[in-house]
Amino acid sequence: MTNNSNKEKTLGEVMRSRGVSRRSFLKFCAATASMMAMSPAMIPKIAHALESARRPSVIWLSFQECTGCTESLTRAHTATIESLIFDSISLDYHHTLQAASGHAAEEAREAAMNENWGKYILVVDGSIPTDNPGYSTIAGISNLDMFMQTAAGAAAIISVGTCAAYGGIPHADPNPTGAYSVYDVIKKFSNNQLDGISSATLAKAGEGSVVSKPIISVPGCPPIPVVITGVLTHFLTFGTIPELDHLGRPKAFYGQSIHDRCYRRPFYDKGLFAETFDDEGAKKGWCLYKLGCKGPTTYNACATTKWNDGTSFPIESGHPCLGCSEPDFWDGGGFYKALSMPTENITQTAIYTAAGAAAVGVALGAMNKSKKNNAVAAHNKTTIDDLEK
Amino acid sequence: MSDFSIVQFNIQIGDDLTHNVKPLLHEIKHGLDKLVETGQTSIIDLRSIPLAPGEEDKILSMLGQGEVQAQLNALGLSEVTETQYAGVWIVTHYNDENHIISRFIEVTTMPEILCSQTEDIMAAYSRLTVSLEDNV
Ligand code: SF4
Ligand code: SF4
């Protein structure tokens, strides 16, 4: 996995030594700008920065997770481009993808940490159990210890997937393992609310001042692959972390709601909703709001970046958005229950739409009071019945 | 084929669903004006604009085909076509598996990616030099 001779080279040199032409490199930069939702005017700047970028060391830790995030990344549709990004980092530890295992793998992690202390990027997928260190261990090391030790020497931490970003499914009610997100674990640590950390880890965490590490959250269940690589590329290109929103998500990808970029939005604005999955409205491609669409409260890039080779996204296939990139989406009260009421700032919506206030009136009227109360009352655990409705 | 029926969305190419098609075409018109007046080029990333199924095809079919069509083989295929409106180009990049990875509308006299690049020319010079030395 690690290629030491390549480590000192710039990305431009690595690419040239692999016979990648300048023209191909320009194509790579154009695709990168597009996937990072950057203006095409940035293409020459990206080209210039990547040309001279050095390959950063990346340590990827997987805790309580389903490997869906790694699957998403390795199934990325831009095969060549993704592999170039992969080649442009030095992935020094990823226990699912690496050949080494057990103590040999841990030695590789420690070597990479020592060699690049303060400079490597730590990627985490999965949440961290805090109730009992024995709930999840790797080579006999508890997730909590491994995370705190490795975080101590990182330049930045990227929480990949909803589990690392917010706790995700392991954190869902009743959270049997005491699972928390990267951000929450560090917060608990700084408030002295964590037990079960070894003294060696405590020393290391203090030495690396864990509490001040920048954390970038890339939620989604799983996140869109190009969003993961986009964040890595941003770091590689500019040597900084991208601009983040209040939940620590890069604004380039999470800056707008699914609803804001949904092609079914004109139907929402006209108050035209599918009521069931096979009625006339569903066949005509009307808005899925009443079928439980969480698009209005969900910030993610699905509506423009899309999934499966850019083919489509859930709403385009006729299924409401589940809201997987938002905190506690699993405990949100049922995937097929409508949001209690349109959550947008109404004046804002009116400005946004050509149809204006009249259309919003229709949408609001559609959600009558009793329905709203039902929806609020139903904000508890999802049951099998909910899923089958 | 299997006997289940597939729900077809009744969205026609003619439906102006997102209201983004016309502004985009106007943007291109402004781009042409700028190109003639000041020589300034512009690029529009088609993936950055919310479009309903069929709307991208609608834009492409309205722009039509012009005199130039080029294919590049650079990390997978790329297609560069001049539309029926001279100076308006469609640049489509594919990956190894022939999936579109990005698509741009460029308003320019010649998309940059078609030009031979200085670094490649320098590498070509060295290669040719070596091959001439070897074959002497
Ligand atoms: S509610 Fe859902 S389907 Fe309807 S416009 Fe918003 S995101 Fe699209
Ligand atoms: S459409 Fe919604 S639920 Fe589906 S992946 Fe995107 S954000 Fe998650």
Side-chain angles (χ1 to χ4, degrees):
Chain A
M1 203 174 277
T2 313
N3 185 340
N4 282 325
S5 65
N6 268 342
K7 256 193 185 159
E8 300 310 317
K9 289 185 178 169
T10 64
L11 180 53
E13 286 163 349
V14 172
M15 291 201 179
R16 268 193 296 283
S17 69
R18 289 185 51 195
V20 175
S21 70
R22 178 73 188 180
R23 198 182 261 131
S24 301
F25 184 66
L26 279 183
K27 170 170 170 175
F28 165 73
C29 294
T32 302
S34 175
M35 83 179 181
M36 294 201 296
M38 282 183 177
S39 150
M42 290 296 286
I43 297 173
K45 286 202 182 121
I46 295 175
H48 181 75
L50 280 182
E51 177 71 15
S52 46
R54 303 218 171 253
R55 309 171 73 225
S57 166
V58 174
I59 297 180
W60 184 306
L61 301 179
S62 300
F63 298 133
Q64 290 194 133
E65 47 85 44
C66 68
T67 312
C69 297
T70 298
E71 284 288 337
S72 172
L73 179 63
T74 54
R75 298 294 178 281
H77 60 277
T78 51
T80 326
I81 305 288
E82 303 300 322
S83 66
L84 276 183
I85 292 174
F86 250 159
D87 283 355
S88 60
I89 62 172
S90 171
L91 189 57
D92 289 323
Y93 179 94
H94 186 310
H95 72 214
T96 318
L97 298 180
Q98 71 197 356
S101 61
H103 295 298
E106 296 321 306
E107 276 163 25
R109 178 174 61 88
E110 271 162 31
M113 282 167 60
N114 292 336
E115 209 176 298
N116 305 291
W117 188 257
K119 285 187 290 198
Y120 57 82
I121 300 175
L122 170 60
V123 179
V124 176
D125 66 334
S127 61
I128 300 156
T130 59
D131 274 2
N132 180 332
Y135 282 151
S136 178
T137 62
I138 298 160
I141 307 168
S142 77
N143 286 175
L144 190 56
D145 272 330
M146 186 178 281
F147 168 67
M148 293 303 277
Q149 280 183 19
T150 318
I157 307 172
I158 306 178
S159 305
V160 164
T162 290
C163 298
Y166 313 122
I169 293 172
H171 176 83
D173 195 32
N175 190 3
T177 62
Y180 286 98
S181 67
V182 161
Y183 178 84
D184 284 342
V185 162
I186 290 190
K187 203 166 104 195
K188 279 176 176 293
F189 175 76
S190 73
N191 293 341
N192 280 325
Q193 290 168 328
L194 283 181
D195 300 324
I197 302 184
S198 74
S199 49
T201 305
L202 280 176
K204 217 162 199 166
E207 175 198 338
S209 59
V210 157
V211 289
S212 57
K213 299 291 171 190
I215 304 172
I216 308 163
S217 288
V218 184
C221 193
I224 303 175
V226 293
V227 176
I228 309 176
T229 44
V231 171
L232 284 173
T233 311
H234 187 285
F235 190 83
L236 206 64
T237 312
F238 304 107
T240 57
I241 60 170
E243 201 191 339
L244 306 176
D245 73 1
H246 68 292
L247 292 173
R249 303 176 292 197
K251 281 189 179 165
F253 302 108
Y254 300 89
Q256 277 167 310
S257 69
I258 300 286
H259 188 61
D260 279 345
R261 316 217 95 194
C262 178
Y263 75 93
R264 294 191 190 222
R265 179 63 182 261
F267 294 118
Y268 174 93
D269 293 335
K270 288 187 195 124
L272 296 172
F273 301 102
E275 305 272 346
T276 65
F277 281 104
D278 55 359
D279 67 0
E280 266 316 288
K283 286 179 190 153
K284 286 186 173 149
W286 288 356
C287 170
L288 302 170
Y289 184 86
K290 289 192 177 178
L291 289 170
C293 186
K294 306 294 183 285
T297 50
T298 305
Y299 289 76
N300 205 345
C302 307
T304 42
T305 305
K306 307 199 173 177
W307 286 88
N308 296 328
D309 310 336
T311 307
S312 70
F313 71 116
I315 291 168
E316 198 168 334
S317 321
H319 194 282
C321 166
L322 304 180
C324 75
S325 57
E326 294 300 318
D328 299 325
F329 83 104
W330 197 257
D331 290 326
F335 293 152
Y336 301 102
K337 290 220 171 79
L339 287 166
S340 2
M341 58 178 295
T343 48
E344 304 267 297
N345 172 329
I346 292 173
T347 4
Q348 202 48 47
T349 311
I351 293 165
Y352 186 93
T353 67
V360 178
V362 178
L364 276 172
M367 296 307 301
N368 61 40
K369 203 159 183 258
S370 73
K371 258 206 176 135
K372 177 187 150 191
N373 291 342
N374 289 345
V376 172
H379 260 240
N380 46 27
K381 263 184 278 173
T382 306
T383 64
I384 293 288
D385 287 348
D386 289 334
L387 297 176
E388 284 173 348
K389 253 175 214 167
Chain B
M1 285 286 289
S2 54
D3 53 0
F4 61 83
S5 67
I6 295 173
V7 176
Q8 296 286 343
F9 293 131
N10 193 18
I11 296 168
Q12 306 296 325
I13 286 213
D15 296 347
D16 198 0
L17 270 174
T18 60
H19 307 287
N20 279 335
V21 174
K22 256 204 200 120
L24 194 104
L25 294 168
H26 277 285
E27 181 91 18
I28 296 171
K29 197 186 89 178
H30 290 312
L32 279 177
D33 189 38
K34 250 193 315 190
L35 185 63
V36 173
E37 293 295 320
T38 67
Q40 201 190 330
T41 60
S42 30
I43 308 183
I44 298 166
D45 179 354
L46 271 177
R47 287 293 150 92
S48 67
I49 301 158
L51 294 171
E55 284 188 336
E56 188 167 314
D57 290 344
K58 186 175 168 186
I59 293 165
L60 296 181
S61 81
M62 286 180 79
L63 291 175
Q65 284 248 335
E67 292 170 337
V68 187
Q69 264 175 287
Q71 278 199 351
L72 315 179
N73 208 344
L75 292 178
L77 184 76
S78 293
E79 281 169 356
V80 183
T81 4
E82 194 178 29
T83 67
Q84 60 169 316
Y85 304 104
V88 181
W89 300 75
I90 309 285
V91 179
T92 310
H93 296 308
Y94 298 83
N95 66 8
D96 276 357
E97 290 149 20
N98 262 345
H99 295 133
I100 296 178
I101 51 171
S102 52
R103 179 170 265 163
F104 299 91
I105 296 175
E106 294 199 25
V107 185
T108 174
T109 49
M110 163 92 104
E112 171 73 8
I113 196 130
L114 272 187
C115 306
S116 296
Q117 304 291 315
T118 314
E119 290 83 348
D120 294 342
I121 299 172
M122 279 155 54
Y125 176 83
S126 323
R127 273 203 337 270
L128 186 57
T129 309
V130 170
S131 109
L132 285 175
E133 279 164 7
D134 287 352
N135 292 326
V136 169

